[in-house]
Amino acid sequence: MNLVAGGFLLALAALVLAATWDLANLGNGEIGPGFFPALCGALLGVVGMALLALGLREVSAQRVIPSRAHMGTDAWRAAVITASVLLFALVLNSGGMALAVFATVWLSTRAGEVSTRTALMLSAALALVLTAIFIAGMGLHMPALPAFLR
């Protein structure tokens, strides 16, 4: 699984770096608006290379490819987490930051072995903290609550 995850992270890092390449610097030695995303992309690439190396080491040591049953379970979990990110994008404008974060965290916890009670508490806590940080603290212009509660 490390082999697949490492390859995916390397591909994602390449995509992020390609998208932010011309935004990283303003040209006169100053840091531009794409510096932080480019830095995150580079760090993602480092993590991807480490996972890829671990995966190659595991495959060469065991000389066994993971079974289809294990890959199916991991693919299902990856699909749930990807769906949670898409859910965030769909809910953010109409549902507000708090609801989008709550729904995203709750759905992504379904991919793991987290109890429903823990998932609900974690979702509520992260929704509260992230809404406070991004909207109240940083002053981002996006709705905090759904339209029917504003």
Side-chain angles (χ1 to χ4, degrees):
M1 190 61 203
N2 285 335
L3 193 64
V4 175
F8 177 74
L9 287 179
L10 276 177
L12 185 61
L15 181 67
V16 168
L17 289 173
T20 61
W21 187 257
D22 58 342
L23 298 174
N25 294 319
L26 292 176
N28 54 359
E30 295 180 17
I31 294 174
F35 178 76
F36 185 70
L39 179 65
C40 289
L43 292 174
L44 201 60
V46 169
V47 172
M49 286 189 285
L51 282 175
L52 194 61
L54 284 173
L56 289 171
R57 186 172 153 203
E58 289 172 355
V59 169
S60 67
Q62 297 174 355
R63 304 227 186 266
V64 176
I65 296 176
S67 68
R68 286 193 180 266
H70 183 67
M71 291 295 284
T73 303
D74 291 340
W76 176 83
R77 289 179 179 183
V80 169
I81 292 171
T82 302
S84 72
V85 174
L86 294 174
L87 179 66
F88 179 82
L90 293 173
V91 173
L92 184 60
N93 283 335
S94 61
M97 178 76 162
L99 182 62
V101 170
F102 184 89
T104 300
V105 173
W106 185 84
L107 183 59
S108 64
T109 59
R110 301 295 86 201
E113 297 175 3
V114 178
S115 70
T116 303
R117 180 178 174 220
T118 303
L120 290 172
M121 289 189 318
L122 182 63
S123 300
L126 282 173
L128 179 67
V129 168
L130 292 177
T131 300
I133 289 172
F134 285 106
I135 294 179
M138 294 176 67
L140 292 181
H141 298 288
M142 64 180 62
L145 298 171
F148 64 90
L149 293 177
R150 288 183 238 152

